[in-house]
Amino acid sequence: MFRTLVSTLSALAVSSSALLGLQPALLAQSSPSSETVVASRIVQPVDDNARVPLRGYVSRLASVANDRGPAPDSMPLARMHLVLQRSAAQEAALHEFIEEAHTPGSPNFHKWLTPAEFGQRFGPSDQDISTVEAWLASQGFAVHGALPGKQVIEFSGNVAQMRSAFAVRVHQYTMNGNSHFATATEPQIPAALAPVVKGFVSLNNFHPKSYARLLGRAQYDPKTGKATPTWTVPGGAGYPTVGGVNFALSPADFATQYDLNPLYNTGVNGTGQTIAIINESNINIELVNQFRKLFGLPANAPNVIIDGNDPGIDGINNPDGPNNASPEAYLDVEWAGAVAPDATIDLVIGGDTALESGLVLAAEHAVYADVAPVMSMSFGQCEANLGSSNSFINQTLMEQAAAEGITVTVSTGDSGSAGCDNPDTQDFAVKGLGVNGFASTPWDVAVGGTDFYYSNYASLSLTNLATYWGTTGTNTPPAGGSLLGRIPEQPWNASQFGLNASNYYTSYGSTTIGAGSGGASSAAVCSAGYNSSTGACNGTPAGYAKPAWQTGNNVPGDGVRDIPDVSLFAADGSNYSYYPICYEDGDCQAASSGPVQIFGVGGTSAAAPAFAGIMALVNQEYGRQGQADVVLYPMKTQYPAAFHDITAGTIAVPCAVA
């Protein structure tokens, strides 16, 4: 039942010294100037009585138990996104272009496309788009047009119009006390439109899960890096400490652990670069400023880019209630900026609509507007829950990002090998093996989680931790650097199967599935199609095929995409360390003397924006890298010493067997 990290590369902790081995990129950003003539594919009259079904849009989360009945016919459905598909010839040409754009020596090497150029070459003809828009208008919808890249058409209407036009029956569902809307039936479209219309971005607004592990407040001493946690654990016990303290991993400590200081010392600090942080919550920018001041980072406030409605802090403005996503936003913004301190950080957010998550709308905005050459997303859903939305993420959005030269970093998740289970609410895994469908696409860098590894757990004390941490108070604030040198790493695993100073089961009499996620893609593709009656996948769902670049020593020969690609520190205190952030009022406000309040977090949510920061450093030196895995995997073979292989530990978590 347990799946471990069997690939050295899959368990990687990457050192920034490896980045110096990247081949210099051609900095040209223009694309070939030749015009592309796109043939129209809608050649039959649109007959509303001749229809074909679209499968995979009824979410597994839209269960009968959660169903609260049909939504009112008059309920508005704003900002619906109809997905347009490429022809087989266009898809082949796109894959050829992406390969050439990532191949040194090719005439198209690093000649990334703009969104407009992408749409011209790989979108439907203008005539086909006009035909689809005219049909939508004939059904009473307000048509807002094709978005840049010509991959989706945005339109708005109401529940009654969706039922009449697409046979979509929108129901209300309640989960964990929150109200959501989703289709209870699979959609249909006129058969004449099928050569161009692929489906929908989403027909539900179930929130993707944040992969942040929230711990609580701690009192932090910038001179020593010591933190005294004030939160408790199950049963009300104090959080485990050594000598009464933990060690919060400051930005200066991160730089020591991943060898960033040689880059900083030569001016490689993110200058001129931009990172797009994708989230579904707004933030108080002053808290980010306080984080930067506390840890000695240059003043560099983030920008907030709002797509559509402002969700507000914690998503409080969303029509279906708050999403509690602001801790994730602070974590991502603060730590992307901590690793690339002079880079511009753009927080890209969107409000939920009735049938689409604001997070997905924000991700679309970042790609369609080409906001930044690096994009980080610390959310996800397991492949099995995404259904046909897997196709949109893989073949529509992320492929366009790769063609534009955008490096997308995505958290793998926090439930070990059990990617469909929830580590925040479950002690045991019950749904088998699974991975995050946002991370398993072949077009992103999937970032997993590590923890520190100390070999002398039986006698671990503040004295022998002094081998790694400066505990004497001689460090100079406000930088807060106390790590003396790199600590060996292991896969982050808070369960009893982790190699931890604090064994969860022994300490608390219960267990957890909190661990850095990874494994093989297994439920992303229904290559045999969906059953026309039940909507179920014909045969066994398959994973994404293994990309050509995913090769190397100990990479599984399983024929499917495996994640993670790289991993960085993501632990939540089992070995006495975690990330500090400024999130609550009073955090990171330096006093004249004494400790400072911080908020402790862990999870792969921290690893993804941190690696995005590293990629911003790479881009400053060598230009946009696009799908960076194309370079990272061969680098492991060419420069093995630049990577920190992990050979001990596991991401196995406890499971309940029926």
Side-chain angles (χ1 to χ4, degrees):
M1 185 64 190
F2 305 132
R3 182 178 183 85
T4 61
L5 287 177
V6 294
S7 164
T8 303
L9 196 53
S10 294
L12 221 54
V14 64
S15 166
S16 67
S17 62
L19 304 176
L20 300 179
L22 285 173
Q23 298 185 29
L26 299 178
L27 300 182
Q29 297 296 309
S30 62
S31 67
S33 59
S34 59
E35 294 291 331
T36 301
V37 178
V38 178
S40 294
R41 284 173 278 143
I42 300 176
V43 296
Q44 299 294 328
V46 179
D47 181 356
D48 285 331
N49 295 315
R51 291 178 163 263
V52 294
L54 304 175
R55 298 299 186 185
Y57 289 96
V58 177
S59 171
R60 297 201 313 176
L61 302 176
S63 66
V64 173
N66 296 328
D67 196 337
R68 299 298 177 262
D73 279 357
S74 61
M75 188 180 85
L77 298 178
R79 305 197 65 198
M80 301 289 299
H81 283 184
L82 192 69
V83 180
L84 307 175
Q85 64 181 337
R86 295 182 279 273
S87 68
Q90 284 179 315
E91 191 67 31
L94 174 57
H95 287 187
E96 181 180 3
F97 170 79
I98 292 175
E99 181 178 357
E100 291 177 350
H102 290 81
T103 302
S106 164
N108 283 327
F109 180 54
H110 283 199
K111 292 186 178 179
W112 311 113
L113 301 180
T114 66
E117 291 165 342
F118 184 92
Q120 181 185 30
R121 295 179 62 173
F122 304 115
S125 70
D126 290 341
Q127 180 178 324
D128 281 345
I129 291 175
S130 295
T131 300
V132 175
E133 291 178 342
W135 179 79
L136 288 169
S138 74
Q139 303 301 304
F141 294 111
V143 181
H144 311 303
L147 300 185
K150 295 184 179 180
Q151 302 303 291
V152 299
I153 293 175
E154 184 171 305
F155 66 99
S156 300
N158 60 34
V159 167
Q161 289 168 331
M162 280 296 291
R163 184 174 64 249
S164 174
F166 294 105
V168 166
R169 297 184 180 274
V170 180
H171 281 216
Q172 183 177 8
Y173 296 86
T174 300
M175 290 182 59
N176 302 320
N178 290 328
S179 176
H180 300 280
F181 293 95
T183 181
T185 56
E186 298 287 14
Q188 300 175 5
I189 60 171
L193 301 180
V196 168
V197 175
K198 188 171 188 177
F200 295 87
V201 169
S202 170
L203 287 177
N204 68 72
N205 67 352
F206 295 118
H207 295 142
K209 178 171 172 47
S210 160
Y211 292 130
R213 300 276 289 179
L214 304 184
L215 299 175
R217 294 178 179 177
Q219 296 298 310
Y220 174 72
D221 183 352
K223 293 183 179 180
T224 64
K226 295 178 183 178
T228 304
T230 59
W231 67 85
T232 60
V233 295
Y239 200 77
T241 63
V242 57
V245 300
N246 297 148
F247 291 93
L249 188 76
S250 72
D253 297 330
F254 186 97
T256 298
Q257 180 70 14
Y258 295 110
D259 198 22
L260 297 179
N261 288 313
L263 297 178
Y264 296 155
N265 292 338
T266 59
V268 181
N269 51 22
T271 298
Q273 301 304 306
T274 303
I275 302 171
I277 298 297
I278 309 303
N279 203 276
E280 54 185 7
S281 169
N282 213 325
I283 58 172
N284 177 355
I285 290 178
E286 183 54 33
L287 284 170
V288 181
N289 294 338
Q290 290 170 191
F291 173 88
R292 298 184 68 90
K293 183 177 180 180
L294 174 65
F295 291 109
L297 301 169
N300 187 10
N303 304 314
V304 178
I305 299 174
I306 301 172
D307 181 80
N309 294 329
D310 181 0
I313 293 177
D314 268 336
I316 194 66
N317 296 338
N318 284 336
D320 298 328
N323 54 34
N324 301 309
S326 65
E328 180 68 69
Y330 288 109
L331 169 62
D332 295 358
V333 167
E334 289 169 1
W335 274 92
V339 177
D342 280 56
T344 297
I345 308 299
D346 288 340
L347 175 63
V348 186
I349 57 176
D352 288 347
T353 67
L355 292 178
E356 187 165 345
S357 162
L359 181 85
V360 178
L361 290 169
E364 289 185 80
H365 181 101
V367 174
Y368 300 154
D370 196 12
V371 168
V374 180
M375 167 178 155
S376 179
M377 186 159 49
S378 295
F379 292 76
Q381 289 182 357
C382 79
E383 289 177 331
N385 286 349
L386 280 172
S388 289
S389 291
N390 275 311
S391 177
F392 169 74
I393 293 168
N394 174 35
Q395 292 184 325
T396 304
L397 190 65
M398 295 305 184
E399 278 186 319
Q400 182 172 339
E404 292 177 13
I406 300 173
T407 302
V408 183
T409 65
V410 183
S411 304
T412 58
D414 294 347
S415 51
S417 55
C420 292
D421 290 278
N422 188 339
D424 297 331
T425 60
Q426 296 176 222
D427 293 336
F428 297 91
V430 297
K431 297 179 181 178
L433 301 176
V435 297
N436 175 14
F438 285 20
S440 64
T441 164
W443 309 106
D444 72 283
V445 179
V447 187
T450 68
D451 196 356
F452 295 141
Y453 174 67
Y454 303 108
S455 59
N456 53 339
Y457 287 116
S459 58
L460 200 60
S461 67
L462 205 56
T463 299
N464 48 39
L465 278 177
T467 303
Y468 299 104
W469 297 93
T471 61
T472 61
T474 58
N475 298 292
T476 302
S482 57
L483 189 62
L484 303 178
R486 179 182 173 267
I487 303 175
E489 291 173 85
Q490 60 172 311
W492 164 53
N493 191 341
S495 82
Q496 62 263 42
F497 299 111
L499 303 175
N500 297 324
S502 172
N503 184 286
Y504 199 97
Y505 184 80
T506 301
S507 298
Y508 315 125
S510 60
T511 188
T512 179
I513 59 172
S517 290
S521 174
S522 61
V525 180
C526 185
S527 58
Y530 292 92
N531 184 285
S532 60
S533 299
T534 66
C537 183
N538 290 325
T540 302
Y544 292 127
K546 188 174 290 297
W549 45 257
Q550 193 168 43
T551 62
N553 292 334
N554 299 317
V555 173
D558 52 7
V560 296
R561 169 82 159 110
D562 292 285
I563 60 173
D565 299 307
V566 295
S567 295
L568 297 172
F569 181 82
D572 60 353
S574 297
N575 287 296
Y576 306 134
S577 291
Y578 41 82
Y579 284 95
I581 64 170
C582 294
Y583 152 54
E584 295 185 324
D585 290 341
D587 286 350
C588 300
Q589 296 185 21
S592 57
S593 62
V596 179
Q597 177 180 296
I598 60 171
F599 198 93
V601 298
T604 57
S605 274
F611 192 74
I614 290 175
M615 286 306 307
L617 304 181
V618 174
N619 287 358
Q620 182 182 348
E621 285 285 275
Y622 305 117
R624 288 185 180 226
Q625 296 299 307
Q627 169 44 307
D629 282 331
V630 175
V631 175
L632 292 173
Y633 276 83
M635 275 180 57
K636 175 61 175 68
T637 300
Q638 295 171 345
Y639 307 98
F643 292 82
H644 301 150
D645 287 351
I646 292 176
T647 58
T650 175
I651 59 167
V653 294
C655 66
V657 179

